[in-house]
Amino acid sequence: MNITDVQRFLGYENIETTRHYAETTAATPRRKFDQVTDPAAQALLSGIRHTRGDDAALLAANLLSKDQVARPVTSAGA
């Protein structure tokens, strides 16, 4: 979608405000995916992203990044 269309849709007067929120939103999934360091969890996220899309993968990354502190991910649990 064109950034000026997004600006009009959201009602922002300043295009820089629209850009700020658009860039922040676009960077969120990458940061969440980068927090997941376990190779099995990364493979799981890749599969989820491929089959279910970014929203599902982001949700899984949120859960996995919190869970990795407690225990590693195994393929048996996938």
mmCIF file of all heavy atoms in Angstrom, residues 23-59:
data_model
loop_
_atom_site.group_PDB
_atom_site.id
_atom_site.type_symbol
_atom_site.label_atom_id
_atom_site.label_comp_id
_atom_site.label_asym_id
_atom_site.label_seq_id
_atom_site.Cartn_x
_atom_site.Cartn_y
_atom_site.Cartn_z
ATOM 1 N N GLU A 23 7.358 1.963 9.808
ATOM 2 C CA GLU A 23 8.674 1.333 9.953
ATOM 3 C C GLU A 23 8.774 0.560 11.262
ATOM 4 O O GLU A 23 9.341 -0.522 11.307
ATOM 5 C CB GLU A 23 9.770 2.388 9.859
ATOM 6 C CG GLU A 23 9.910 2.940 8.456
ATOM 7 C CD GLU A 23 10.829 4.141 8.379
ATOM 8 O OE1 GLU A 23 11.419 4.528 9.409
ATOM 9 O OE2 GLU A 23 10.945 4.693 7.270
ATOM 10 N N THR A 24 8.238 1.104 12.334
ATOM 11 C CA THR A 24 8.258 0.412 13.621
ATOM 12 C C THR A 24 7.477 -0.890 13.538
ATOM 13 O O THR A 24 7.935 -1.936 13.991
ATOM 14 C CB THR A 24 7.665 1.312 14.721
ATOM 15 O OG1 THR A 24 8.434 2.498 14.786
ATOM 16 C CG2 THR A 24 7.678 0.623 16.056
ATOM 17 N N THR A 25 6.314 -0.851 12.926
ATOM 18 C CA THR A 25 5.477 -2.040 12.794
ATOM 19 C C THR A 25 6.152 -3.090 11.930
ATOM 20 O O THR A 25 6.118 -4.275 12.232
ATOM 21 C CB THR A 25 4.105 -1.653 12.200
ATOM 22 O OG1 THR A 25 3.516 -0.690 13.059
ATOM 23 C CG2 THR A 25 3.190 -2.848 12.088
ATOM 24 N N ALA A 26 6.799 -2.668 10.858
ATOM 25 C CA ALA A 26 7.469 -3.606 9.961
ATOM 26 C C ALA A 26 8.677 -4.259 10.630
ATOM 27 O O ALA A 26 9.011 -5.405 10.342
ATOM 28 C CB ALA A 26 7.904 -2.893 8.684
ATOM 29 N N ALA A 27 9.339 -3.558 11.550
ATOM 30 C CA ALA A 27 10.530 -4.090 12.208
ATOM 31 C C ALA A 27 10.199 -5.044 13.350
ATOM 32 O O ALA A 27 11.033 -5.858 13.743
ATOM 33 C CB ALA A 27 11.383 -2.939 12.733
ATOM 34 N N THR A 28 9.006 -4.989 13.891
ATOM 35 C CA THR A 28 8.644 -5.814 15.042
ATOM 36 C C THR A 28 8.813 -7.308 14.795
ATOM 37 O O THR A 28 9.441 -7.989 15.616
ATOM 38 C CB THR A 28 7.211 -5.494 15.507
ATOM 39 O OG1 THR A 28 7.163 -4.126 15.904
ATOM 40 C CG2 THR A 28 6.785 -6.370 16.669
ATOM 41 N N PRO A 29 8.284 -7.861 13.700
ATOM 42 C CA PRO A 29 8.466 -9.306 13.499
ATOM 43 C C PRO A 29 9.931 -9.708 13.429
ATOM 44 O O PRO A 29 10.325 -10.713 14.013
ATOM 45 C CB PRO A 29 7.770 -9.579 12.166
ATOM 46 C CG PRO A 29 6.799 -8.470 12.006
ATOM 47 C CD PRO A 29 7.438 -7.284 12.680
ATOM 48 N N ARG A 30 10.761 -8.934 12.759
ATOM 49 C CA ARG A 30 12.184 -9.278 12.635
ATOM 50 C C ARG A 30 12.837 -9.316 14.006
ATOM 51 O O ARG A 30 13.599 -10.219 14.315
ATOM 52 C CB ARG A 30 12.870 -8.270 11.713
ATOM 53 C CG ARG A 30 14.340 -8.448 11.547
ATOM 54 C CD ARG A 30 14.882 -9.795 11.105
ATOM 55 N NE ARG A 30 14.088 -10.560 10.191
ATOM 56 C CZ ARG A 30 14.086 -11.905 10.146
ATOM 57 N NH1 ARG A 30 14.807 -12.616 10.971
ATOM 58 N NH2 ARG A 30 13.340 -12.539 9.295
ATOM 59 N N ARG A 31 12.544 -8.347 14.871
ATOM 60 C CA ARG A 31 13.131 -8.351 16.217
ATOM 61 C C ARG A 31 12.683 -9.574 16.998
ATOM 62 O O ARG A 31 13.474 -10.197 17.701
ATOM 63 C CB ARG A 31 12.752 -7.076 16.961
ATOM 64 C CG ARG A 31 13.521 -5.849 16.517
ATOM 65 C CD ARG A 31 13.382 -4.698 17.505
ATOM 66 N NE ARG A 31 12.005 -4.332 17.756
ATOM 67 C CZ ARG A 31 11.311 -3.446 17.050
ATOM 68 N NH1 ARG A 31 11.857 -2.844 16.028
ATOM 69 N NH2 ARG A 31 10.061 -3.162 17.365
ATOM 70 N N LYS A 32 11.410 -9.920 16.902
ATOM 71 C CA LYS A 32 10.909 -11.092 17.616
ATOM 72 C C LYS A 32 11.562 -12.365 17.088
ATOM 73 O O LYS A 32 11.940 -13.246 17.850
ATOM 74 C CB LYS A 32 9.387 -11.200 17.495
ATOM 75 C CG LYS A 32 8.660 -10.149 18.280
ATOM 76 C CD LYS A 32 8.893 -10.341 19.769
ATOM 77 C CE LYS A 32 8.172 -9.285 20.561
ATOM 78 N NZ LYS A 32 8.465 -9.381 21.976
ATOM 79 N N PHE A 33 11.685 -12.477 15.762
ATOM 80 C CA PHE A 33 12.304 -13.665 15.178
ATOM 81 C C PHE A 33 13.775 -13.763 15.598
ATOM 82 O O PHE A 33 14.286 -14.848 15.847
ATOM 83 C CB PHE A 33 12.204 -13.663 13.656
ATOM 84 C CG PHE A 33 10.787 -13.742 13.138
ATOM 85 C CD1 PHE A 33 10.438 -13.102 11.970
ATOM 86 C CD2 PHE A 33 9.801 -14.441 13.820
ATOM 87 C CE1 PHE A 33 9.139 -13.163 11.484
ATOM 88 C CE2 PHE A 33 8.494 -14.505 13.349
ATOM 89 C CZ PHE A 33 8.166 -13.868 12.177
ATOM 90 N N ASP A 34 14.455 -12.626 15.699
ATOM 91 C CA ASP A 34 15.866 -12.617 16.086
ATOM 92 C C ASP A 34 16.071 -13.027 17.542
ATOM 93 O O ASP A 34 17.156 -13.475 17.912
ATOM 94 C CB ASP A 34 16.479 -11.232 15.855
ATOM 95 C CG ASP A 34 16.659 -10.919 14.384
ATOM 96 O OD1 ASP A 34 16.560 -11.848 13.551
ATOM 97 O OD2 ASP A 34 16.890 -9.740 14.056
ATOM 98 N N GLN A 35 15.049 -12.873 18.372
ATOM 99 C CA GLN A 35 15.167 -13.265 19.779
ATOM 100 C C GLN A 35 15.159 -14.782 19.946
ATOM 101 O O GLN A 35 15.607 -15.300 20.962
ATOM 102 C CB GLN A 35 14.030 -12.661 20.596
ATOM 103 C CG GLN A 35 14.141 -11.174 20.789
ATOM 104 C CD GLN A 35 12.936 -10.609 21.520
ATOM 105 O OE1 GLN A 35 12.004 -11.318 21.865
ATOM 106 N NE2 GLN A 35 12.947 -9.311 21.741
ATOM 107 N N VAL A 36 14.653 -15.487 18.969
ATOM 108 C CA VAL A 36 14.591 -16.945 19.030
ATOM 109 C C VAL A 36 15.904 -17.481 18.478
ATOM 110 O O VAL A 36 16.193 -17.341 17.294
ATOM 111 C CB VAL A 36 13.388 -17.488 18.225
ATOM 112 C CG1 VAL A 36 13.369 -19.008 18.230
ATOM 113 C CG2 VAL A 36 12.096 -16.920 18.795
ATOM 114 N N THR A 37 16.720 -18.081 19.358
ATOM 115 C CA THR A 37 18.055 -18.516 18.953
ATOM 116 C C THR A 37 18.184 -20.031 18.804
ATOM 117 O O THR A 37 19.109 -20.501 18.163
ATOM 118 C CB THR A 37 19.104 -18.020 19.967
ATOM 119 O OG1 THR A 37 18.744 -18.496 21.269
ATOM 120 C CG2 THR A 37 19.158 -16.488 19.981
ATOM 121 N N ASP A 38 17.290 -20.777 19.379
ATOM 122 C CA ASP A 38 17.346 -22.237 19.299
ATOM 123 C C ASP A 38 17.099 -22.674 17.855
ATOM 124 O O ASP A 38 16.098 -22.284 17.255
ATOM 125 C CB ASP A 38 16.280 -22.820 20.226
ATOM 126 C CG ASP A 38 16.331 -24.326 20.287
ATOM 127 O OD1 ASP A 38 15.915 -24.959 19.294
ATOM 128 O OD2 ASP A 38 16.773 -24.860 21.302
ATOM 129 N N PRO A 39 17.999 -23.491 17.265
ATOM 130 C CA PRO A 39 17.835 -23.909 15.866
ATOM 131 C C PRO A 39 16.507 -24.627 15.586
ATOM 132 O O PRO A 39 15.894 -24.413 14.545
ATOM 133 C CB PRO A 39 19.025 -24.839 15.612
ATOM 134 C CG PRO A 39 20.051 -24.400 16.603
ATOM 135 C CD PRO A 39 19.273 -23.958 17.816
ATOM 136 N N ALA A 40 16.070 -25.473 16.507
ATOM 137 C CA ALA A 40 14.793 -26.172 16.305
ATOM 138 C C ALA A 40 13.635 -25.182 16.312
ATOM 139 O O ALA A 40 12.697 -25.301 15.519
ATOM 140 C CB ALA A 40 14.596 -27.236 17.382
ATOM 141 N N ALA A 41 13.696 -24.179 17.185
ATOM 142 C CA ALA A 41 12.648 -23.160 17.244
ATOM 143 C C ALA A 41 12.658 -22.305 15.984
ATOM 144 O O ALA A 41 11.595 -21.957 15.458
ATOM 145 C CB ALA A 41 12.841 -22.288 18.482
ATOM 146 N N GLN A 42 13.843 -21.986 15.474
ATOM 147 C CA GLN A 42 13.936 -21.215 14.234
ATOM 148 C C GLN A 42 13.330 -21.989 13.064
ATOM 149 O O GLN A 42 12.624 -21.419 12.227
ATOM 150 C CB GLN A 42 15.386 -20.852 13.933
ATOM 151 C CG GLN A 42 15.928 -19.800 14.866
ATOM 152 C CD GLN A 42 17.392 -19.515 14.619
ATOM 153 O OE1 GLN A 42 18.109 -20.294 13.989
ATOM 154 N NE2 GLN A 42 17.856 -18.379 15.128
ATOM 155 N N ALA A 43 13.603 -23.293 13.010
ATOM 156 C CA ALA A 43 13.036 -24.126 11.948
ATOM 157 C C ALA A 43 11.516 -24.177 12.066
ATOM 158 O O ALA A 43 10.794 -24.101 11.057
ATOM 159 C CB ALA A 43 13.628 -25.534 12.006
ATOM 160 N N LEU A 44 11.017 -24.288 13.284
ATOM 161 C CA LEU A 44 9.586 -24.301 13.518
ATOM 162 C C LEU A 44 8.957 -22.982 13.058
ATOM 163 O O LEU A 44 7.936 -22.973 12.369
ATOM 164 C CB LEU A 44 9.299 -24.545 15.003
ATOM 165 C CG LEU A 44 7.834 -24.571 15.425
ATOM 166 C CD1 LEU A 44 7.085 -25.694 14.706
ATOM 167 C CD2 LEU A 44 7.734 -24.727 16.932
ATOM 168 N N LEU A 45 9.572 -21.859 13.419
ATOM 169 C CA LEU A 45 9.069 -20.545 13.005
ATOM 170 C C LEU A 45 9.057 -20.394 11.490
ATOM 171 O O LEU A 45 8.117 -19.857 10.918
ATOM 172 C CB LEU A 45 9.913 -19.431 13.607
ATOM 173 C CG LEU A 45 9.664 -19.100 15.054
ATOM 174 C CD1 LEU A 45 10.610 -17.996 15.516
ATOM 175 C CD2 LEU A 45 8.237 -18.689 15.279
ATOM 176 N N SER A 46 10.094 -20.885 10.865
ATOM 177 C CA SER A 46 10.173 -20.804 9.406
ATOM 178 C C SER A 46 9.019 -21.566 8.765
ATOM 179 O O SER A 46 8.383 -21.080 7.821
ATOM 180 C CB SER A 46 11.518 -21.366 8.929
ATOM 181 O OG SER A 46 11.591 -21.331 7.535
ATOM 182 N N GLY A 47 8.724 -22.742 9.278
ATOM 183 C CA GLY A 47 7.613 -23.531 8.765
ATOM 184 C C GLY A 47 6.270 -22.860 8.998
ATOM 185 O O GLY A 47 5.408 -22.831 8.115
ATOM 186 N N ILE A 48 6.092 -22.298 10.186
ATOM 187 C CA ILE A 48 4.845 -21.597 10.502
ATOM 188 C C ILE A 48 4.680 -20.391 9.592
ATOM 189 O O ILE A 48 3.605 -20.154 9.049
ATOM 190 C CB ILE A 48 4.818 -21.177 11.988
ATOM 191 C CG1 ILE A 48 4.715 -22.406 12.877
ATOM 192 C CG2 ILE A 48 3.659 -20.210 12.263
ATOM 193 C CD1 ILE A 48 4.926 -22.122 14.354
ATOM 194 N N ARG A 49 5.754 -19.658 9.407
ATOM 195 C CA ARG A 49 5.681 -18.462 8.555
ATOM 196 C C ARG A 49 5.337 -18.838 7.119
ATOM 197 O O ARG A 49 4.558 -18.157 6.464
ATOM 198 C CB ARG A 49 7.014 -17.720 8.624
ATOM 199 C CG ARG A 49 6.967 -16.346 8.048
ATOM 200 C CD ARG A 49 8.259 -15.619 8.308
ATOM 201 N NE ARG A 49 8.113 -14.221 7.999
ATOM 202 C CZ ARG A 49 9.105 -13.367 8.000
ATOM 203 N NH1 ARG A 49 10.317 -13.760 8.333
ATOM 204 N NH2 ARG A 49 8.899 -12.109 7.690
ATOM 205 N N HIS A 50 5.915 -19.909 6.651
ATOM 206 C CA HIS A 50 5.673 -20.352 5.270
ATOM 207 C C HIS A 50 4.236 -20.834 5.076
ATOM 208 O O HIS A 50 3.607 -20.532 4.075
ATOM 209 C CB HIS A 50 6.662 -21.456 4.896
ATOM 210 C CG HIS A 50 6.457 -22.000 3.532
ATOM 211 N ND1 HIS A 50 6.772 -21.295 2.391
ATOM 212 C CD2 HIS A 50 5.949 -23.175 3.116
ATOM 213 C CE1 HIS A 50 6.462 -22.011 1.335
ATOM 214 N NE2 HIS A 50 5.962 -23.164 1.751
ATOM 215 N N THR A 51 3.709 -21.595 6.043
ATOM 216 C CA THR A 51 2.383 -22.188 5.866
ATOM 217 C C THR A 51 1.243 -21.329 6.399
ATOM 218 O O THR A 51 0.139 -21.375 5.869
ATOM 219 C CB THR A 51 2.297 -23.571 6.544
ATOM 220 O OG1 THR A 51 2.571 -23.431 7.941
ATOM 221 C CG2 THR A 51 3.264 -24.550 5.914
ATOM 222 N N ARG A 52 1.503 -20.547 7.463
ATOM 223 C CA ARG A 52 0.427 -19.798 8.119
ATOM 224 C C ARG A 52 0.547 -18.284 8.021
ATOM 225 O O ARG A 52 -0.377 -17.574 8.392
ATOM 226 C CB ARG A 52 0.349 -20.182 9.605
ATOM 227 C CG ARG A 52 0.106 -21.636 9.859
ATOM 228 C CD ARG A 52 -1.286 -22.001 9.468
ATOM 229 N NE ARG A 52 -1.510 -23.419 9.772
ATOM 230 C CZ ARG A 52 -2.611 -24.038 9.509
ATOM 231 N NH1 ARG A 52 -3.599 -23.412 8.934
ATOM 232 N NH2 ARG A 52 -2.734 -25.309 9.799
ATOM 233 N N GLY A 53 1.720 -17.786 7.615
ATOM 234 C CA GLY A 53 1.888 -16.347 7.440
ATOM 235 C C GLY A 53 2.602 -15.671 8.595
ATOM 236 O O GLY A 53 2.919 -16.277 9.618
ATOM 237 N N ASP A 54 2.846 -14.376 8.396
ATOM 238 C CA ASP A 54 3.621 -13.588 9.361
ATOM 239 C C ASP A 54 2.942 -13.442 10.716
ATOM 240 O O ASP A 54 3.610 -13.475 11.745
ATOM 241 C CB ASP A 54 3.909 -12.194 8.798
ATOM 242 C CG ASP A 54 4.973 -12.206 7.721
ATOM 243 O OD1 ASP A 54 5.752 -13.178 7.658
ATOM 244 O OD2 ASP A 54 5.030 -11.242 6.943
ATOM 245 N N ASP A 55 1.636 -13.267 10.724
ATOM 246 C CA ASP A 55 0.936 -13.073 12.005
ATOM 247 C C ASP A 55 1.073 -14.296 12.902
ATOM 248 O O ASP A 55 1.355 -14.178 14.095
ATOM 249 C CB ASP A 55 -0.541 -12.749 11.786
ATOM 250 C CG ASP A 55 -0.753 -11.359 11.208
ATOM 251 O OD1 ASP A 55 0.159 -10.509 11.327
ATOM 252 O OD2 ASP A 55 -1.828 -11.123 10.629
ATOM 253 N N ALA A 56 0.881 -15.470 12.335
ATOM 254 C CA ALA A 56 1.013 -16.701 13.117
ATOM 255 C C ALA A 56 2.456 -16.902 13.565
ATOM 256 O O ALA A 56 2.712 -17.315 14.702
ATOM 257 C CB ALA A 56 0.538 -17.902 12.302
ATOM 258 N N ALA A 57 3.404 -16.589 12.689
ATOM 259 C CA ALA A 57 4.816 -16.742 13.041
ATOM 260 C C ALA A 57 5.210 -15.757 14.133
ATOM 261 O O ALA A 57 5.992 -16.090 15.030
ATOM 262 C CB ALA A 57 5.689 -16.558 11.809
ATOM 263 N N LEU A 58 4.673 -14.557 14.099
ATOM 264 C CA LEU A 58 4.963 -13.574 15.136
ATOM 265 C C LEU A 58 4.416 -14.025 16.488
ATOM 266 O O LEU A 58 5.088 -13.928 17.509
ATOM 267 C CB LEU A 58 4.387 -12.209 14.758
ATOM 268 C CG LEU A 58 4.629 -11.080 15.743
ATOM 269 C CD1 LEU A 58 6.116 -10.881 16.000
ATOM 270 C CD2 LEU A 58 4.011 -9.800 15.211
ATOM 271 N N LEU A 59 3.222 -14.563 16.490
ATOM 272 C CA LEU A 59 2.646 -15.091 17.721
ATOM 273 C C LEU A 59 3.518 -16.229 18.261
ATOM 274 O O LEU A 59 3.841 -16.274 19.448
ATOM 275 C CB LEU A 59 1.223 -15.597 17.465
ATOM 276 C CG LEU A 59 0.536 -16.285 18.634
ATOM 277 C CD1 LEU A 59 0.388 -15.344 19.817
ATOM 278 C CD2 LEU A 59 -0.810 -16.818 18.206
#
